[in-house]
Amino acid sequence: MKKLLLLILLVAANTFVWAAWDGKPKYELHTTAATKTITVRGGVEKLFRFSCGVACVKHKKGWFVIDKQGNKLFDLPQGYHPAGSDYDAETNVKFSNDRLLILKSEGYYNVNARIIDKRGATVKDLGKLAGAYPMIDGVARIVEKVGFREKVSYINSNGQKIAPNTPNSRIYSLWEGLRCYQDPQTKQWGFTDANCNIVIPAKFMDVGPFYNGLAQARNSDRLWGFINKQGAWAIQPQYTRAVGTFRGPYALIYDKSDRSYYMDQSGKLVWKNPDPRNTICSEFRKEGYAVWTMFNDSVANAYAPMVIVNSSFNIVGKINRRLYEVNTQGEVVASNAQWFQWQEPFSGSKVFDWHGNMLLDFEGLDIFSEGLCTSWLERRANQFYFNDKGEIIVKFEDTQF
């Protein structure tokens, strides 16, 4: 009886090991009984990321909007398209503060513009403009004709003009209540509040987003440091190479010899790379993990393992690159408490849990947003949205005839 029990345990153990190390992801992309199908004559041309619980879909004759359950909510008015869809589509074709700025071209530098909500209702008809830019975190730029001149203004999500004294600058994403801006005259950088009112004057050669109250900044001597939300140096500029962010517990920095370090928010170096030739480090994510590649003389570079370390610099997971065919030229583009998405250049993505087990492996160049990702590839006939378990929420098909 004991021998039989031992045999059963060994078989179970071997089955588990094989399932964990056969190179296949835990989940495959698949339809379920709940998968919805939307038929579009000519098929869809592009799927865009979810924001505010909805996403835009482009097809040959126009645009429509869907929710996260795969329900088609409404079509955009005939001839209208989201602002920015012709030049900055990847990041800015999305709702912001439950609003979307849409345009209808009426000729060169002449558009009709309106703001709509998530039901498709018009919030504000902006009339004829010389141009308009996407709404980003509740603010957009519009260009009006004033005689023979053009005037650029900022508007909020309700179409009201704001920040009349702020110089004309491209609008950037909001990070911890502040967004960067560039003075068009001096070409220097500063920060505004959510409504584009200047908070930190433009006095830096370059800046990055705020994380945990600190942002990267470069001074006139081309040295990098970190500033606080008052624009004062929290960590003095002394680094010749660009520094990382405090997205996670530490920022990644490099010295002149290319050795990497991690630094805490007081400026103290908490870890020094013992072998910079063989250990490639990455930034910590907000979940408190970083992904490293470990090279050594006994392992071919193509098979060098990737490891996951926690904020105590202990290895908590390993990724078998040979088994999973992982390209080290990729990067972490999305993450949450359970997993991270590793996107490889011009290829596709793999999703791993923080122990290094592969959950998903898929073609496509999109990034998970609000828990969903698109299958978008130019050569793919049928497009769909899927979740982090590979379940296809909604698919789009061409008509039969």
Side-chain angles (χ1 to χ4, degrees):
M1 184 65 182
K2 290 183 179 179
K3 291 183 178 180
L4 178 61
L5 180 58
L6 179 60
L7 179 62
I8 293 173
L9 289 173
L10 286 172
V11 170
N14 286 334
T15 302
F16 171 79
V17 171
W18 175 254
W21 292 97
D22 64 357
K24 296 180 180 179
K26 180 177 181 180
Y27 306 113
E28 300 283 351
L29 298 180
H30 63 284
T31 58
T32 70
T35 300
K36 292 186 171 66
T37 301
I38 297 178
T39 303
V40 182
R41 183 173 296 277
V44 297
E45 294 186 352
K46 185 74 168 69
L47 309 179
F48 295 89
R49 295 172 192 163
F50 272 88
S51 178
C52 305
V54 294
C56 296
V57 177
K58 181 183 180 183
H59 58 98
K60 291 184 180 297
K61 293 186 177 180
W63 295 73
F64 59 87
V65 176
I66 65 169
D67 63 18
K68 295 176 75 171
Q69 289 71 49
N71 301 305
K72 180 179 176 181
L73 301 179
F74 60 89
D75 292 288
L76 293 194
Q78 185 67 33
Y80 279 82
H81 61 87
S85 60
D86 52 347
Y87 66 92
D88 204 7
E90 292 303 320
T91 56
N92 290 329
V93 176
K94 60 184 181 182
F95 278 74
S96 172
N97 289 21
D98 294 339
R99 302 286 189 266
L100 183 69
L101 178 58
I102 60 175
L103 310 175
K104 183 178 182 181
S105 299
E106 298 287 351
Y108 188 66
Y109 281 100
N110 194 6
V111 298
N112 283 321
R114 67 175 73 170
I115 298 172
I116 61 172
D117 63 18
K118 293 198 302 181
R119 298 176 293 112
T122 298
V123 175
K124 176 87 171 186
D125 190 335
L126 301 172
K128 290 188 179 295
L129 300 172
Y133 298 88
M135 187 166 292
I136 300 175
D137 291 332
V139 173
R141 278 189 306 159
I142 61 172
V143 184
E144 300 172 285
K145 293 180 179 178
V146 181
F148 294 100
R149 302 177 61 186
E150 293 182 348
K151 179 183 178 182
V152 178
S153 301
Y154 297 97
I155 60 171
N156 62 19
S157 57
N158 292 319
Q160 300 166 326
K161 291 184 179 180
I162 57 175
N165 299 319
T166 300
N168 174 25
S169 171
R170 175 180 174 178
I171 296 173
Y172 292 86
S173 297
L174 197 62
W175 299 96
E176 297 188 359
L178 297 176
R179 63 176 102 229
C180 61
Y181 80 99
Q182 186 179 36
D183 188 295
Q185 302 299 322
T186 66
K187 305 301 180 183
Q188 293 188 313
W189 293 82
F191 287 88
T192 71
D193 63 15
N195 291 316
C196 292
N197 299 301
I198 295 175
V199 175
I200 301 174
K203 57 183 179 180
F204 304 102
M205 290 190 65
D206 207 347
V207 294
F210 273 94
Y211 286 106
N212 292 308
L214 298 177
Q216 312 118 298
R218 187 167 60 152
N219 67 8
S220 58
D221 293 326
R222 298 182 177 274
L223 296 176
W224 288 88
F226 290 88
I227 59 173
N228 60 25
K229 290 187 176 181
Q230 289 71 49
W233 291 105
I235 298 175
Q236 291 299 313
Q238 55 188 298
Y239 306 102
T240 53
R241 287 189 53 175
V243 292
T245 70
F246 279 106
R247 183 198 303 265
Y250 309 118
L252 179 64
I253 65 170
Y254 293 86
D255 65 17
K256 291 180 179 179
S257 67
D258 218 28
R259 185 185 293 272
S260 53
Y261 302 77
Y262 287 107
M263 177 172 59
D264 67 18
Q265 294 179 37
S266 71
K268 177 183 176 182
L269 300 180
V270 296
W271 185 86
K272 174 182 177 180
N273 190 340
D275 192 356
R277 296 174 303 169
N278 293 330
T279 302
I280 309 250
C281 302
S282 73
E283 280 199 287
F284 271 88
R285 302 292 293 186
K286 64 181 180 180
E287 293 80 15
Y289 300 102
V291 181
W292 297 352
T293 303
M294 311 286 286
F295 298 101
N296 61 66
D297 296 335
S298 63
V299 180
N301 285 350
Y303 303 141
M306 295 170 62
V307 299
I308 301 162
V309 299
N310 62 17
S311 57
S312 298
F313 306 105
N314 296 318
I315 295 176
V316 296
K318 293 184 179 181
I319 297 173
N320 188 320
R321 287 187 52 236
R322 182 178 184 178
L323 183 69
Y324 292 142
E325 299 181 341
V326 181
N327 186 340
T328 57
Q329 298 302 311
E331 61 177 330
V332 179
V333 294
S335 61
N336 61 24
Q338 286 75 44
W339 52 256
F340 65 92
Q341 179 182 352
W342 182 263
Q343 189 171 73
E344 301 174 345
F346 312 110
S347 177
S349 289
K350 294 175 171 62
V351 177
F352 295 93
D353 66 23
W354 291 110
H355 297 292
N357 302 302
M358 187 163 64
L359 305 180
L360 278 173
D361 184 5
F362 59 93
E363 288 185 303
L365 304 175
D366 199 22
I367 297 173
F368 271 92
S369 178
E370 296 191 354
L372 296 177
C373 190
T374 78
S375 63
W376 184 77
L377 278 175
E378 290 184 358
R379 65 180 181 271
R380 191 192 297 274
N382 297 322
Q383 308 281 355
F384 49 87
Y385 287 93
F386 59 94
N387 63 21
D388 58 7
K389 291 182 173 55
E391 298 169 338
I392 295 174
I393 306 303
V394 57
K395 60 180 180 176
F396 304 87
E397 296 181 350
D398 196 352
T399 54
Q400 183 177 359
F401 301 103

